[in-house]
């Protein structure tokens, strides 16, 4: 299976590093190209690293993951975005999808197998939502 090239965007660096390590050890087909700690850094990292999928949190201290999602989807339509957040607000789901996100997952989900599966699915052109 071809690698899924992904960047992780989360302001909790140790959480993002943990997800990256999980992929490295359990999902060898998922390659983490980098970690961004805010929405602006995410946009810059997408521009320089050219991932296939972005795993994006919504809430950052100084920026907004939903706006970054819209920017990424507009500038690089070939890049897929999966929202990965702790927010259970239905409005966030609707907003994420309206801004171009290809998937929406809650950080509280019980299986990180779903996380890897979602990245593979959106790379293949399918949407994925598990709130």
């Amino acid at each position: 299976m071809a690698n899924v090239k992904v960047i992780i965007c989360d302001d909790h660096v140790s959480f993002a590093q943990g997800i990256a390590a999980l992929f490295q050890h359990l999902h060898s087909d998922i390659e983490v190209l980098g970690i961004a700690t805010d929405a602006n850094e995410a946009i810059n990292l997408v521009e320089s690293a050219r991932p296939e999928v972005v795993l994006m949190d919504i809430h950052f201290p100084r920026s907004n993951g939903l706006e970054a999602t819209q920017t990424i989807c507009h500038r690089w339509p070939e890049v897929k975005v999966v929202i990965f957040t702790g927010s259970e607000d239905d409005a966030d789901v609707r907003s994420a999808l309206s801004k171009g996100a290809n998937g929406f997952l809650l950080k509280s989900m019980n299986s990180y197998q779903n996380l890897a599966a979602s990245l593979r699915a959106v790379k293949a052109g399918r949407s994925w939502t598990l709130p």
Side-chain angles (χ1 to χ4, degrees), residues 84-124:
F84 190 47
T85 185
S87 174
E88 296 187 31
D89 186 348
D90 288 342
D92 283 339
V93 176
R94 288 189 301 276
S95 183
L97 298 175
S98 74
K99 293 187 182 295
N102 304 89
F104 190 98
L105 298 168
L106 290 176
K107 289 180 180 176
S108 61
M109 68 183 173
N110 9 349
S111 171
Y112 284 96
Q113 294 294 335
N114 285 329
L115 179 56
S118 72
L119 299 179
R120 293 180 193 111
V122 299
K123 178 189 175 192

Side-chain angles (χ1 to χ4, degrees), residues 16 33 53-56 67 79 81 91 106 116:
L33 301 177
V53 181
V54 175
L55 190 59
M56 176 75 72
E67 296 305 317
V79 176
V81 178
L106 290 176

